[in-house]
Amino acid sequence: MIDEKTAREAVIEAADELFYAHGVQAVGMDAVRTAAGVSLKRIYSLFASKDELIVAVLRHRTTVWDSGLASASERATSARERILAIFDFLDAWFREPDFRGCAFINTHGELGASSTAVADAVREQKRGFQEYVARLVSDAGAPATLAPQLAILAEGAQTTAAIAGTPDAAHQARAAAETLLDVATARG
Amino acid sequence: MIDEKTAREAVIEAADELFYAHGVQAVGMDAVRTAAGVSLKRIYSLFASKDELIVAVLRHRTTVWDSGLASASERATSARERILAIFDFLDAWFREPDFRGCAFINTHGELGASSTAVADAVREQKRGFQEYVARLVSDAGAPATLAPQLAILAEGAQTTAAIAGTPDAAHQARAAAETLLDVATARG
DNA sequence: CCCGGCGGAGAACGATCGTTCTCTGCCGAT
DNA sequence: ATCGGCAGAGAACGATCGTTCTCCGCCGGG
């Protein structure tokens, strides 16, 4: 019906949407097949198991996250602005009606204990984000110790916004980031 | 065999341990029964459903968390020290070999979309923590806007430590909290 | 036109889950 | 000692899951 690449993308995108909305374990492969319009046989020829599909979905989400972050910082003209753009990006995300927290954190909490492949994919995404922040901190001329602090603010904002159901955490975290940036870059 | 209160506690504690270690959905009621030494019939006479047991476990964890936080801040002699004691408490927790992140965040990610009772119990715990921090911030004479910033740091430290598998996030968050406290209380 | 194989749809399978039911033995009351 | 009822152990049940298999229609090559 459709070529392999298109089918793969259709499955990944459908699974991504369902997994994010309902949790990974709550979504059966039948639901993925229906949403993607790809037969189970074909799905299992593209992914050896549900676990492998989950990992593929997480990797797909990593690239979506990375490009979203990149385009959010496009208008920024300084490293400091690019750092704060992270929190504006979060704010816009938190306001989306189907926001349900960070898919990586959610999936890690759900399967991190039983599937090392899933745990590795989650860890890899977080490591990438930490590196992204570290690069910006370095560009801003701030000490390297600032980077994990900003990353922790971003992580905390995501879980707080998800549980509270409000986007407030984004600008609260942004304000804290501004303070930390001010202090870190104001030395002599 | 044993009185109702003891049986209830045995079930809750056994379920708590299993749910935290493996995730809620990965643990069957049979495993709870074996670990608690309480028959399924009795369990279902104490809790109407697994969902209700999960909520009871979360409430139990809330009291454990509250008292752990209280005892961690016992040696502190000022509001500022009590705030920083939160992060020392987290540090000790992250170093426990079976640390697997915040049970509330994990459970919310797993079931928050499907069970409003679970989502409510999680939200309630987070609200209590926010209030605790807000009280300390007020005692420290800092502006109220500092409280959610500190809470976000604590949340972010928990997920970061869980995913990274290292306790580093505790002292990174603590350092950020110190900076924010310094700035917030140095005015005037 | 016929035939072989490939892909889709979905039935089937075995496992597991939450929940209930049955059976058995024990205990106190008479 | 006898009886009634409660509690424990675990079998049973219906649903659902991940995964595989079967069947059927379609297509290109002779």
Side-chain angles (χ1 to χ4, degrees), chain B residues 60-159:
Chain B
H60 171 254
R61 257 202 182 243
T62 301
T63 74
V64 170
W65 166 272
D66 287 348
S67 69
L69 215 51
S71 80
S73 75
E74 251 170 18
R75 286 178 295 282
T77 60
S78 69
R80 180 195 165 94
E81 279 177 27
R82 274 198 293 283
I83 288 170
L84 295 178
I86 295 170
F87 298 94
D88 296 334
F89 173 63
L90 291 181
D91 185 73
W93 182 30
F94 295 171
R95 292 173 193 278
E96 289 179 16
D98 51 2
F99 170 72
R100 230 179 62 74
C102 171
F104 300 95
I105 295 171
N106 291 347
T107 307
H108 185 270
E110 204 171 343
L111 298 177
S114 53
S115 167
T116 63
V118 167
D120 287 347
V122 171
R123 205 165 9 246
E124 169 63 20
Q125 193 266 344
K126 294 304 180 194
R127 201 187 50 77
F129 178 64
Q130 296 259 0
E131 277 179 15
Y132 175 75
V133 176
R135 214 172 315 126
L136 293 183
V137 164
S138 166
D139 290 351
T145 52
L146 178 63
Q149 299 181 9
L150 296 175
I152 287 169
L153 280 173
E155 301 292 345
Q158 290 174 61
T159 70

Side-chain angles (χ1 to χ4, degrees), chain A residues 3-170:
Chain A
D3 64 293
E4 178 169 325
K5 189 174 175 188
T6 313
R8 231 188 116 87
E9 284 170 3
V11 171
I12 287 179
E13 274 162 32
D16 185 27
E17 204 164 320
L18 289 170
F19 288 170
Y20 182 63
H22 307 103
V24 171
Q25 304 199 75
V27 174
M29 294 298 276
D30 254 36
V32 174
R33 150 237 175 100
T34 302
V38 175
S39 76
L40 275 180
K41 195 170 160 188
R42 189 97 119 103
I43 293 179
Y44 275 97
S45 81
L46 294 168
F47 308 94
S49 65
K50 189 182 185 182
D51 238 58
E52 211 167 274
L53 171 59
I54 296 166
V55 170
V57 166
L58 290 177
R59 280 207 251 274
H60 170 254
R61 255 198 184 246
T62 301
T63 73
V64 171
W65 165 272
D66 287 349
S67 69
L69 215 50
S71 79
S73 75
E74 249 171 20
R75 287 177 294 282
T77 59
S78 68
R80 179 195 167 94
E81 279 178 27
R82 273 196 294 282
I83 288 171
L84 294 178
I86 295 171
F87 298 95
D88 297 332
F89 173 63
L90 291 181
D91 185 71
W93 182 30
F94 295 171
R95 291 173 193 279
E96 288 179 18
D98 52 0
F99 171 71
R100 231 181 59 75
C102 170
F104 300 95
I105 294 171
N106 291 347
T107 307
H108 185 269
E110 205 171 342
L111 298 177
S114 53
S115 166
T116 62
V118 167
D120 287 348
V122 172
R123 204 162 13 245
E124 169 64 18
Q125 193 267 344
K126 294 304 179 193
R127 200 187 51 76
F129 178 64
Q130 295 261 357
E131 277 179 16
Y132 175 75
V133 176
R135 214 172 316 124
L136 293 184
V137 164
S138 165
D139 291 351
T145 53
L146 177 64
Q149 300 181 8
L150 297 174
I152 287 169
L153 280 173
E155 300 292 345
Q158 290 173 64
T159 71
T160 299
I163 291 175
T166 70
D168 305 346

Side-chain angles (χ1 to χ4, degrees), chain B residues 26-29 40-41 44 49-50:
Chain B
V27 173
M29 294 298 275
L40 275 180
K41 194 170 160 187
Y44 275 96
S49 65
K50 189 182 185 182

